[in-house]
């Protein structure tokens, strides 16, 4: 025994410096990733896809065919008021519903079929009754993300209100120069003729978390894979006799079974793949069976869940095998720190700064969330995120295998073998 009190290690500057650097960098990075990504989504918003539909059939006015809806959609499309923040997608109603049903639009503005006829009717000379206001319909899409849907709703509502005022200005000018004087009620309505109504463009089941169950379900899958990797890595080392295993006050140790780094990673990855069947089943049973989450395509959801956990877990095991003890910090940053803000779930990618959009191209949570969203909300349509989810999981698994086995194989060839616990050579005092 050295006779030195354990608390004296707190006097060691390297202990404070090393831990201070690691924890400080971790705190700063999490702040940058989480707060920086969401601090001003409106200012960072660029090309948010929103549908623009003119279903107006027009009407004959003064012997001429007039279509106010065409003028509205054209003026909105040409408008520079929003800069490049909104990407107005001019389309018909059928295409718009199809795109909303794939999560490719965050909302839409629809000019109904009777808009021209209802609007021009306000210029009539009838003095009895209240003229009926035409409507412009704003459609939201919570299934694509609540923040994105809210941003689209604000933009489309402003566009609809602006269009109503412009149409009112034109009709009022025509009415004042006409032969018949407009009734007072008609003049009031003509100043702002269109009522703006808001509807859900792609309704979800009440047990869909307002469009957030896909994100939280995907997050559970990634966290299960990440945390399980840490557990499995430690338990494999213990089973091979390379580390002790503390169970409360008990310290357990197994006989040494020598294994290369490649063999150790292969054992851990095999265990992860097998246990993913259990974890994926329990996640789905807990979410759907116990908590009542709305879900369809249950066999596909189960298979996707199992694969997502397996790929996330094997990716995390790779980082642990390559980086060792610091690997858990790398895993936390990759699978949580950089992943949550770029998942295209709470805040749309179009409202993130450019750096975060770059991260979203390969961050695992974004890919997994897209596939889960397709299964839960979009009838498992391939081009609604499911194909991308499968492809990116396959790419991620291949990259993890190449990186993990490539680097650990290099460690083995260089003779950088692991030293099992209790076999380190004893340090002897130098002769005086």
């Amino acid at each position: 025994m050295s006779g030195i009190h354990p608390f004296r290690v707190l006097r060691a500057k390297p202990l404070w410096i090393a831990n201070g650097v690691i924890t400080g960098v971790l705190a700063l990075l999490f702040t940058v990733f989480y707060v920086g990504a969401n601090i001003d989504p409106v200012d960072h918003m660029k090309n948010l896809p929103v549908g623009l539909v003119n279903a107006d059939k027009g009407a004959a006015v003064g012997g001429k065919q007039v279509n106010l809806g065409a003028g509205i959609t054209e003026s909105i499309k040409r408008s520079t008021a929003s800069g490049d923040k909104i990407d107005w997608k001019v389309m018909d109603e059928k295409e718009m519903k199809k795109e909303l049903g794939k999560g490719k639009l965050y909302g839409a503005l629809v000019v109904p079929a009777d808009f021209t006829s209802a609007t021009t009717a306000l210029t009539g000379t009838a003095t009895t009754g209240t003229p009926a206001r035409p409507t412009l319909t704003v459609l939201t899409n919570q299934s694509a993300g609540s923040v994105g849907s809210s941003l689209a709703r604000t933009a489309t509502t402003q566009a609809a209100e602006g269009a109503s005022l412009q149409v009112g200005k034109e009709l009022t000018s025509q009415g004042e120069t006409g032969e018949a004087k407009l009734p007072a009620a008609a003049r009031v309505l003509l100043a702002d003729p269109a009522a703006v109504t808001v509807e859900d463009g792609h309704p979800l089941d009440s047990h869909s978390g307002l469009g957030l169950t896909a994100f939280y379900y995907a997050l559970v899958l990634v966290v299960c894979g990440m945390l399980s990797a840490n557990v499995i890595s430690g338990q494999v080392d213990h089973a091979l006799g390379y580390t002790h295993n503390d169970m409360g006050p008990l310290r357990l140790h197994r006989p040494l079974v020598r294994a290369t780094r490649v063999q150790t990673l292969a054992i851990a990855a095999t265990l992860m793949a097998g246990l993913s069947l259990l974890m994926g089943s329990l996640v789905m049973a807990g979410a759907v069976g116990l908590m009542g989450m709305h879900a369809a395509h249950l066999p596909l959801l189960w298979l996707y869940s199992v694969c997502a956990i397996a790929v996330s877990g094997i990716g995390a095991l790779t980082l642990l095998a390559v980086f060792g003890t610091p690997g858990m910090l790398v895993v936390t940053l990759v699978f949580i720190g950089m992943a949550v803000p770029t998942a295209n779930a709470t805040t749309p990618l179009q409202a993130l700064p450019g750096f975060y959009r770059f991260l979203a191209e390969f961050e695992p949570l974004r890919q997994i969330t897209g596939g889960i969203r397709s299964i839960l909300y979009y009838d498992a349509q391939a081009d609604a995120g499911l194909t991308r989810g499968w492809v990116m999981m396959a790419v991620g698994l291949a990259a993890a295998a190449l990186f993990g086995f490539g680097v650990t194989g290099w460690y083995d060839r260089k003779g950088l073998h692991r030293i099992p616990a209790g076999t380190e050579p004893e340090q002897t005092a130098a002769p005086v």
Side-chain angles (χ1 to χ4, degrees), residues 205 207-208 217 284 288 292-298 301 375-376:
D205 186 271
H207 288 180
S208 295
Y217 190 94
M284 194 175 81
V288 180
M293 182 185 80
H294 174 73
H297 306 282
L298 294 182
L301 179 62
I375 295 171
L376 295 184

Side-chain angles (χ1 to χ4, degrees), residues 223-234 272 275 279 309 313 317:
V223 169
C224 282
M226 182 191 76
L227 295 181
S228 297
N230 191 44
V231 172
I232 289 173
S233 179
M272 174 62 73
L275 292 179
M279 289 184 284
I309 293 176
L317 285 170

Side-chain angles (χ1 to χ4, degrees), residues 31 51 69 90 97 135 141 224 235 264 321 343-344 361 390 395:
T31 301
V90 179
K97 292 178 180 177
T135 61
N141 190 9
C224 282
Q235 290 301 309
T264 303
N344 195 30
E361 291 301 315
W390 282 121
V395 171

